[in-house]
Amino acid sequence: MRVTGWLPERPIVQAPMAGGGATPELVAAVGEAGGLGFLGAGYLTAARMLADVEAVRALSARPFGVNLFLPATDPVDPAEVDAYRTRLLPDAARLGAEPGVPRARDDDFDAKVETLLAGPPPAVVSFTFGRPGADVVRAFRAAGSAVVMTVTSVEEASACPDADALCVQGVEAGGHQGTFANVAPPGLGVRELLAAVRAVTAQPLLAAGGLGTRAHVADVLALGAVAAQAGTAFLRSPESGASAVHKAALGDPRYTSTTLTRAFSGRYGRGLTNRFALRHSAAAPAAYPDVHYLTSPLRRAAAARGDADGVNLWAGTSWRTAAPIPAADVVRALTP
């Protein structure tokens, strides 16, 4: 029996946006407006995740979700990571920083699962970069949480028959591509992928990727999605935790394109094309989260200086439609 009753009044889901974009204030505001807000627990400790969960509950009684990153299991070549660290030294010197040191690759996953199950669990728990074990899925469903898995291909969708819903992520999406393995995304647009996945499963589908207008949302609903997931659309809102330099860049006409790059984290993510991406994309190894740890101090230093060319300016292909308006207004503007 699938967990039901978690879909929002309005067919709008706010993307988790790990790394600080999805603050408790943003999640609560989206929920109060009739959408479904999501906390991004990626990169957080279990304790910090719990603090954010409690903060959302203090702000709103509306249902919300929590997204977890699966532990990184792809093999990594330490020599490639060391070579990339050496490559970053001139950038680090310019910023007055030092590249970071790779740390644990499990993202505190087991502790986060245990913490959420200790309850009360959130209405929805979603997973990115793979599918959790069947025992984890059963435990969350038994606790009353709906389980959503992020997929980027028909093959990944077919591997998740026990999910209560699938988040079908097209290549247009900003931030990390949710591929199960650390490989280049299939390159399918959300509309094409949505239709392909709908052909092989009756599971509810959330559509994600470059959805920045009411017309975009209407498109994916007509193709069979039960809701549209948007991230970039919320980044310029006052409730967003995006840095000031990131918010400003989204409205800066100097940025004219987005690019998929491993330069910032070692996994493909889409962001505004800036100097760091242009300089390092070709050399970045497939080493996640090792590269994330290397670049974190540089990105923090660049943000503190207001240097948008040294920051991961995650953005989907419809970033031009993002407006500096309250999150509730974004929900209303996206709703057909």
Side-chain angles (χ1 to χ4, degrees), residues 25-327:
E25 292 76 14
L26 177 60
V27 173
V30 170
E32 289 295 317
L36 180 68
F38 254 98
L39 286 172
Y43 307 126
L44 302 182
T45 63
R48 172 58 192 277
M49 176 197 70
L50 179 59
D52 283 355
V53 167
E54 292 174 342
V56 174
R57 290 196 168 117
L59 292 166
S60 173
R62 306 287 294 208
F64 65 96
V66 176
N67 175 260
L68 303 180
F69 285 174
L70 270 292
T73 59
D74 300 282
V76 168
D77 184 343
E80 290 184 348
V81 176
D82 288 343
Y84 195 60
R85 184 183 193 280
T86 298
R87 180 185 179 88
L88 296 176
L89 289 175
D91 293 79
R94 178 178 58 82
L95 293 166
E98 285 287 333
V101 177
R103 303 199 298 273
R105 307 182 75 227
D106 66 352
D107 203 47
D108 212 15
F109 180 80
D110 290 342
K112 289 173 184 174
V113 168
E114 181 179 347
T115 298
L116 290 176
L117 286 172
V124 189
V125 179
S126 69
F127 298 90
T128 301
F129 304 150
R131 56 149 296 138
D135 57 333
V136 173
V137 176
R138 285 194 298 267
F140 275 116
R141 293 176 72 181
S145 295
V147 174
V148 177
M149 297 180 196
T150 307
V151 299
T152 64
S153 68
V154 170
E155 292 73 23
E156 290 175 352
S158 298
C160 302
D162 52 350
D164 292 296
L166 302 175
C167 178
V168 178
Q169 186 196 52
V171 73
E172 307 97 332
H176 282 112
Q177 300 286 300
T179 53
F180 283 17
N182 188 0
V183 296
L188 296 176
V190 63
R191 292 162 182 79
E192 179 184 3
L193 181 59
L194 184 63
V197 173
R198 172 50 69 224
V200 301
T201 182
Q203 291 159 290
L205 304 180
L206 310 180
L211 306 178
T213 69
R214 180 178 289 123
H216 293 161
V217 174
D219 282 349
V220 295
L221 295 180
L223 289 170
V226 297
Q229 179 170 288
T232 309
F234 290 99
L235 281 178
R236 298 181 71 190
S237 70
E239 298 94 342
S240 159
S243 67
V245 68
H246 192 171
K247 290 183 178 184
L250 289 169
D252 190 334
R254 292 180 299 170
Y255 293 101
T256 60
S257 66
T258 63
T259 189
L260 280 172
T261 179
R262 279 183 171 138
F264 296 103
S265 73
R267 248 188 182 273
Y268 281 105
R270 182 176 297 281
L272 299 181
T273 307
N274 63 1
R275 183 181 62 231
F276 195 98
L278 289 171
R279 181 177 295 173
H280 299 300
S281 289
Y288 175 87
D290 308 70
V291 170
H292 161 77
Y293 290 127
L294 289 183
T295 66
S296 286
L298 279 64
R299 290 182 277 131
R300 285 196 299 270
R305 291 185 174 205
D307 178 6
D309 276 317
V311 180
N312 51 316
L313 302 172
W314 295 143
T317 55
S318 294
W319 89 95
R320 292 275 191 218
T321 65
I325 59 177

